[in-house]
């Protein structure tokens, strides 16, 4: 579960600050607000490729949804993993979603799960990235600034609630090479701004 490891490592690295600077209510995991506190326009977190069937199950799961609502929306029995997360596989596509629930059975994390090889999903990422580019991606950048550095669009890999908040959401986007090496960038869901970036080597 390489993608889960990458996503959780990003969460640990951004744990020094709450996204958006506050515990805001009323936000969802499908949009950002339209303005920052200073009135400037928020940089949106794009949904590249999410009209494709790869995201079918992922899109049906929402942050703070109940376990019962997830089961109803997906209609399949999940597999419980050793980390106590649940993976729901879409038999129609081979793709799925890995979900972590709170003690109250609310979705706190969702991660897109790709079958071995990644299928056509990886090809949606239109950049070739290298480890040296990570140092150019700094906290506070917009998605468009990151895109200009990396040369193309990234793909949403996961969304999670920041620990200790009710609905401050962190989104992780990946820019992936065909060998599965990648740059992962965590974005604040309220502002659309970069929290941090990390390079991931291909699996051994």
């Amino acid at each position: 579960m390489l993608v889960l490891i990458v996503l959780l490592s990003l969460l640990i690295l951004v744990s020094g600050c709450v996204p958006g600077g506050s515990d805001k209510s009323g936000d969802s995991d499908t949009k950002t607000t339209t303005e920052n506190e200073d009135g400037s326009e928020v940089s949106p977190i794009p949904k590249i490729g999410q009209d494709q069937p790869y995201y079918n199950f992922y899109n049906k799961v929402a942050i703070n949804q109940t376990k019962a609502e997830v089961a109803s929306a997906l209609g399949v029995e999940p597999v419980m993993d050793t980390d106590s997360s649940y993976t729901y596989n879409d038999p129609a596509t081979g793709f799925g979603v890995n979900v972590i629930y709170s003690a109250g059975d609310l979705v706190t994390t969702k991660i897109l799960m790709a079958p071995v090889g990644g299928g056509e999903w990886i090809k949606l990422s239109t950049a070739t990235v290298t480890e040296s580019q990570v140092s150019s991606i700094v906290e506070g950048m917009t998605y468009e600034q990151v895109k200009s550095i990396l040369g193309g669009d990234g793909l949403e890999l996961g969304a999670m609630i920041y620990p200790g908040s009710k609905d401050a959401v962190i989104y992780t986007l990946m820019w992936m090479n065909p060998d599965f090496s990648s740059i992962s960038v965590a974005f604040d869901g309220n502002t659309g701004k970069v929290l941090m970036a990390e390079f991931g080597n291909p699996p051994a």
Side-chain angles (χ1 to χ4, degrees), residues 5 39 49 61 76 79 85 88 99 102 110 114 126-127 131 140 151 153 157 160 175 184 204:
I5 294 169
V61 177
V76 299
V79 175
S85 65
Y88 300 80
V99 179
S102 68
K110 66 172 186 173
T126 56
E131 187 171 7
D153 286 303
L157 174 68
M160 65 179 72
W175 281 255
S184 302

Side-chain angles (χ1 to χ4, degrees), residues 80-164:
M80 186 174 180
D81 297 319
T82 55
D83 59 3
S84 298
S85 65
Y86 293 81
T87 297
Y88 300 80
N89 290 306
D90 183 354
T93 65
F95 284 75
V97 60
N98 180 266
V99 179
I100 298 174
Y101 294 100
S102 68
D105 283 343
L106 299 178
V107 175
T108 61
T109 302
K110 66 172 186 173
I111 303 166
L112 179 71
M113 301 300 291
V116 174
E120 296 296 307
W121 176 66
I122 294 176
K123 295 180 181 178
L124 297 175
S125 180
T126 56
T128 300
V129 297
T130 63
E131 187 171 7
S132 63
Q133 292 171 304
V134 172
S135 61
S136 299
I137 302 171
V138 298
E139 183 178 353
M141 280 185 170
T142 66
Y143 175 83
E144 289 300 324
Q145 288 172 316
V146 174
K147 180 179 174 180
S148 69
I149 292 170
L150 299 183
D153 286 303
L155 306 174
E156 187 172 316
L157 174 68
M160 65 179 72
I161 287 185
Y162 186 88

Side-chain angles (χ1 to χ4, degrees), residues 6-48:
V6 169
L7 192 61
L8 292 179
S9 67
L10 282 169
L11 176 59
I12 292 168
L13 288 169
V14 300
S15 60
C17 58
V18 175
S22 65
D23 176 13
K24 297 182 179 180
S25 61
D27 296 330
S28 75
D29 70 326
T30 58
K31 65 181 179 65
T32 61
T33 53
T34 56
E35 290 185 350
N36 292 313
E37 291 180 1
D38 62 2
S40 60
E41 185 177 351
V42 166
S43 174
I45 299 169
K47 303 293 184 180
I48 305 301

